[in-house]
Amino acid sequence: QQQVKQSPQSLIVQKGGISIINCAYENTAFDYFPWYQQFPGKGPALLIAIRPDVSEKKEGRFTISFNKSAKQFSLHIMDSQPGDSATYFCAASISGKLIFGQGTELSVKP
Amino acid sequence: DTGVSQDPRHKITKRGQNVTFRCDPISEHNRLYWYRQTLGQGPEFLTYFQNEAQLEKSRLLSDRFSAERPKGSFSTLEIQRTEQGDSAMYLCASSLAVTVWDTITYEQYFGPGTRLTVT
């Protein structure tokens, strides 16, 4: 019940396209849902986050859509760029600690 | 920009040796977390501190692991009698409580990690 399931495992998108990564959870006690971007050899960097009382949050090219009843949330990257190529992790927070998904390796082709 | 820093960045050790890692959080952050990340996986929670108090430890944290945050500032993570299965990236994060309306959330910011290789 503590798991966060993330899909797809890998994603290839053309430059300018939309990248979509999905996550699902079971535990309704999760109270905060961040997304992190990680480049090889670096620590995860906080990208955008949402609380469960909000259905959508947009910051620049990044949007989180949140469906509380379905216990699912997703990250949309608009106008994807080669510099967005990285591994993306969704996470869910309970009592302040984060439970991470398995990650999605995104490759944006020029 | 003084983010979370970790030292060393890389550590190679032989099986059976003890190792210690250090994390310096963002200065005003009162919470500090340790995570472990193996190749191709997401980070896994190990433990966290609020100020100097260790509030939770994961079952992943065996008796060979110990963490301290003596003055509520930097933290150390020690692994005794290292095993090959301990090879991983050890990540530290810090956070400050952010209150929006009546909900408190903790935005966690990660350091660059310490890559441990046990031979």
Side-chain angles (χ1 to χ4, degrees):
Chain A
Q1 209 185 18
Q2 293 278 54
Q3 284 186 322
V4 177
K5 295 184 179 179
Q6 184 172 345
S7 64
Q9 191 173 355
S10 62
L11 182 61
I12 300 174
V13 173
Q14 291 295 317
K15 179 182 174 183
I18 302 173
S19 304
I20 302 174
I21 304 170
N22 301 299
C23 286
Y25 65 96
E26 288 295 325
N27 191 343
T28 55
F30 288 137
D31 56 9
Y32 171 69
F33 299 86
W35 285 88
Y36 284 84
Q37 179 190 58
Q38 187 175 30
F39 293 102
K42 307 290 186 183
L46 180 62
L47 202 55
I48 187 173
I50 198 166
R51 290 176 23 245
D53 54 350
V54 177
S55 61
E56 185 176 281
K57 183 174 182 180
K58 183 176 181 179
E59 289 184 359
R61 296 185 295 110
F62 300 93
T63 300
I64 300 177
S65 296
F66 190 86
N67 186 330
K68 189 173 181 178
S69 60
K71 291 185 277 188
Q72 295 174 347
F73 58 111
S74 60
L75 175 70
H76 296 232
I77 307 174
M78 311 300 286
D79 187 26
S80 299
Q81 299 296 313
D84 296 331
S85 297
T87 300
Y88 292 80
F89 293 96
C90 63
S93 175
I94 184 166
S95 303
K97 71 182 183 190
L98 294 176
I99 308 298
F100 283 84
Q102 299 90 332
T104 296
E105 190 172 352
L106 172 65
S107 178
V108 181
K109 299 299 186 186
Chain B
D1 180 18
T2 52
V4 178
S5 62
Q6 293 186 244
D7 185 70
R9 294 292 308 279
H10 303 274
K11 179 72 176 178
I12 300 174
T13 191
K14 293 185 177 180
R15 185 165 53 94
Q17 297 294 305
N18 299 344
V19 294
T20 300
F21 310 140
R22 176 179 170 126
C23 171
D24 286 89
I26 295 171
S27 59
E28 63 270 25
H29 286 187
N30 63 347
R31 282 199 173 188
L32 186 150
Y33 309 79
W34 286 99
Y35 292 83
R36 180 171 67 188
Q37 185 178 27
T38 53
L39 207 59
Q41 300 295 316
E44 294 175 295
F45 170 80
L46 293 178
T47 188
Y48 84 94
F49 294 83
Q50 179 154 310
N51 300 313
E52 65 274 12
Q54 188 172 18
L55 296 188
E56 187 172 345
K57 291 171 59 173
S58 163
R59 285 172 293 178
L60 292 174
L61 217 63
S62 75
D63 291 344
R64 296 185 296 106
F65 288 70
S66 62
E68 294 183 342
R69 195 182 183 198
K71 297 182 180 179
S73 56
F74 74 92
S75 176
T76 58
L77 177 69
E78 182 183 14
I79 308 175
Q80 295 183 328
R81 304 181 303 282
T82 52
E83 302 173 355
Q84 287 189 317
D86 297 331
S87 295
M89 174 81 88
Y90 289 84
L91 294 162
C92 175
S94 69
S95 73
L96 189 64
V98 174
T99 303
V100 178
W101 300 105
D102 59 352
T103 302
I104 301 175
T105 56
Y106 297 89
E107 294 183 347
Q108 293 187 30
Y109 296 90
F110 283 81
T114 294
R115 169 74 64 189
L116 173 66
T117 302
V118 182
T119 62

